[in-house]
Amino acid sequence: MRAVFFDMDGLLVDSERVWLRVETEVMARLGAEWTPEHQVHLVGGSMERTVDYMLSVSGAAVPPATVREWMVTGMVTRLSAGVHVMPGASELLDALRAEGVPVGLVTSSLQEIADAVLKSFGRHRFDLVVTADDVTRTKPDPEPYLTAARLLGVPPVRCVVLEDSPNGVAAATAAGCAVVAVPSLLPIEPAPGRLVVSSLTEVGVADLRDLLPS
């Protein structure tokens, strides 16, 4: 195992509730309602996809750049006040670092939002961070995970990815990585090279190694 990559929203930190709150507030400014069912369409997606979808649902004649600014400001403000780390995430990260396994954070969120999370969680705990600002195509495209592996100089086939969304799992699988899925808002089925668990508390370093080809 040459590296392990953590997703951020819904996997490392419980930020999906924050996204829902901010999306609801922004949609109110657009004169429309927002529900958890709407949010499900956007799990693991990019900010651009979120903004386009919100404008489509609301029908509001507001520039995408304005909606994007509302979203980013709302998320950064709330996340900067503190984040709730998902059960088992810190313990697994610490165990990996104790064994000298390089660890990266790979997220579809913008760098500003990732920085707000890492302000509380600790940027120093990761060997690298890849955000939407570092790639041309976000998840479910494999580019984010291929970029992380390239920056660390490791083959994707010797990497394990921790994800909570189908988009993230698809990106990791397409990159050639093994996957541990902790489904949040959408179900994820087991598959070869993929372990599905209900919490990271169920996973240890040995479990990650067992997913890799011998």
Side-chain angles (χ1 to χ4, degrees):
M1 184 164 64
R2 300 289 300 279
V4 173
F5 301 130
F6 285 71
D7 175 49
M8 187 177 76
D9 295 299
L11 185 285
L12 181 70
V13 294
D14 185 12
S15 54
E16 295 299 348
R17 291 182 295 178
V18 182
W19 279 104
L20 178 59
R21 185 178 308 161
V22 173
E23 288 161 356
T24 301
E25 292 172 352
V26 170
M27 283 296 280
R29 297 179 73 171
L30 294 173
E33 293 185 359
W34 190 254
T35 68
E37 288 70 29
H38 286 124
Q39 185 190 26
V40 165
H41 290 285
L42 304 173
V43 175
S46 66
M47 179 63 75
E48 287 69 25
R49 182 184 170 205
T50 298
V51 169
D52 289 345
Y53 182 79
M54 296 175 81
L55 286 172
S56 174
V57 170
S58 67
V62 176
T66 299
V67 179
R68 182 184 186 276
E69 180 182 353
W70 291 346
M71 287 292 300
V72 171
T73 299
M75 289 300 297
V76 168
T77 298
R78 282 171 172 76
L79 293 173
S80 294
V83 295
H84 177 70
V85 180
M86 295 299 281
S90 284
E91 292 80 1
L92 181 58
L93 179 58
D94 290 343
L96 288 163
R97 296 197 65 85
E99 294 199 21
V101 179
V103 179
L105 182 70
V106 181
T107 176
S108 290
S109 284
L110 299 169
Q111 182 176 334
E112 292 173 80
I113 295 174
D115 286 346
V117 170
L118 292 172
K119 180 180 178 181
S120 296
F121 191 80
R123 169 64 178 84
H124 65 281
R125 302 176 75 177
F126 295 96
D127 295 285
L128 89 163
V129 175
V130 175
T131 72
D133 294 287
D134 301 310
V135 296
T136 56
R137 296 176 300 278
T138 56
K139 306 170 189 177
D141 192 275
E143 184 183 351
Y145 287 114
L146 292 175
T147 298
R150 176 177 54 79
L151 290 173
L152 286 180
V154 298
V157 71
R158 306 309 304 178
C159 299
V160 179
V161 167
L162 306 168
E163 272 284 356
D164 73 303
S165 72
N167 272 348
V169 169
T173 301
C177 305
V179 180
V180 174
V182 189
S184 55
L185 299 179
L186 292 170
I188 299 171
E189 297 298 322
R194 180 190 308 166
L195 173 65
V196 181
V197 297
S198 60
S199 167
L200 287 179
T201 59
E202 303 173 23
V203 182
V205 177
D207 299 306
L208 304 187
R209 287 199 173 96
D210 287 344
L211 285 170
L212 297 172
S214 56

